[in-house]
Amino acid sequence: MNAPANEPRTATVVVDDGTEIAYHRWDPDGAAHPVPVVLQHGFTVDTRVEWASRGIVPALTATGRTVVGIDARGHGLSQKSPDPGRYGETRMARDLLTVVDLLDAPAFDLVGYSMGAIISLLAATGEPRVRRLVIGGVGAGVVEVGGVDTRVLRNDALAEALLADDPSTLPPELAGMRASATQSGADLRSMAAQALALHTAGVDFARITADAIVIAGDEDPLAVRPEVLADAIPGARLVLVPGDHGAAINSAEFSTAVVDFLRD
């Protein structure tokens, strides 16, 4: 499903450490549902690439949902920095909640993929306003490693690859990540900084009160054994969709699972 989304209203907010965070808002088609949907993208991409161009945004607005997508710091239109001390998913979760505060909504639904899934889990911890929570593109690594699964791709090696002078010397998996980041227009120094600041401290799953779903590609090496993660989140259920890390989020099954789960 790759229908284009209408142009959003884009704004910025300066958060408590002085970083400017960009966010994008799409209004619903027809009567508005009272609960907005907040989308958090993955590593190296941004709101438009992850959610709008892949059709998730128009699929949600068609059901009457107001949709807000946040460009994580260092990504998209948000402020960039080469300093790892300004990154990490815990810091990004605070950015997300700052944007949510601007919505003045008593409840919201939250959808995150890959890095955005870790951000969303951390934001939902102890946050009663999160009504429903969609976690995509991660699996047992969140429980066993504490975040995105660095057993599959070491974060220090990824940071080095993003900053390498000659990408042609990189091994295939790192060359692919570097090429993907370059293709999406990502700021490579900011991406390397985030890679070095990757969250590994785990998630207090017991403090998540939202109804939750875990969606994982059946061939995704970064989301192996997703049932381990689903079992760790109170009351969560698991949906498998076809594909690896990139193909899963592009699948019609992924979009359908998100829309159906958030539909009243």
Side-chain angles (χ1 to χ4, degrees):
M1 183 180 295
N2 293 296
N6 293 328
E7 285 301 304
R9 287 180 288 161
T10 297
T12 59
V13 59
V14 177
V15 297
D16 58 357
D17 71 344
T19 300
E20 188 174 62
I21 301 298
Y23 59 99
H24 314 272
R25 177 172 177 147
W26 287 266
D27 291 326
D29 303 339
H33 189 287
V35 180
V37 179
V38 176
L39 305 176
Q40 186 63 72
H41 63 77
F43 184 60
T44 76
V45 290
D46 58 29
T47 297
R48 290 173 179 267
V49 171
E50 190 91 288
W51 303 117
S53 66
R54 287 171 170 152
I56 304 293
V57 169
L60 288 168
T61 57
T63 65
R65 306 305 291 271
T66 298
V67 177
V68 175
I70 300 167
D71 286 351
R73 54 178 58 210
H75 297 70
L77 298 181
S78 289
Q79 190 172 340
K80 314 297 190 295
S81 172
D83 178 9
R86 298 183 72 86
Y87 290 93
E89 290 92 330
T90 298
R91 174 64 263 189
M92 292 170 172
R94 294 202 297 272
D95 297 341
L96 184 154
L97 292 175
T98 297
V99 172
V100 169
D101 289 342
L102 299 175
L103 304 179
D104 196 26
F108 66 100
D109 293 340
L110 181 56
V111 182
Y113 194 79
S114 194
M115 178 190 78
I118 307 302
I119 297 169
S120 297
L121 283 165
L122 293 168
T125 299
E127 177 49 79
R129 291 177 295 176
V130 183
R131 185 187 73 143
R132 292 182 184 165
L133 177 64
V134 179
I135 297 301
V138 289
V142 185
V143 179
E144 298 168 354
V145 178
V148 173
D149 201 337
T150 53
R151 296 170 299 189
V152 178
L153 185 62
R154 282 178 31 223
N155 59 313
D156 56 345
L158 176 57
E160 291 177 7
L162 290 165
L163 298 176
D165 292 332
D166 183 3
S168 68
T169 63
L170 298 173
E173 66 278 8
L174 291 173
M177 288 290 295
R178 168 70 177 260
S180 177
T182 302
Q183 184 179 13
S184 67
D187 181 82
L188 296 181
R189 294 195 304 163
S190 295
M191 297 304 97
Q194 165 58 20
L196 293 174
L198 204 67
H199 181 81
T200 57
V203 176
D204 189 352
F205 299 108
R207 297 185 63 215
I208 296 174
T209 58
D211 292 335
I213 188 172
V214 173
I215 308 176
D218 59 6
E219 296 182 358
D220 186 351
L222 291 173
V224 295
R225 291 179 291 115
E227 65 277 4
V228 174
L229 176 58
D231 288 345
I233 303 171
R237 64 185 181 88
L238 171 65
V239 173
L240 291 177
V241 299
D244 59 15
H245 199 66
I249 193 173
N250 277 304
S251 69
E253 290 87 347
F254 183 93
S255 179
T256 297
V258 171
V259 172
D260 286 351
F261 180 65
L262 299 184
R263 192 191 307 274
D264 281 330

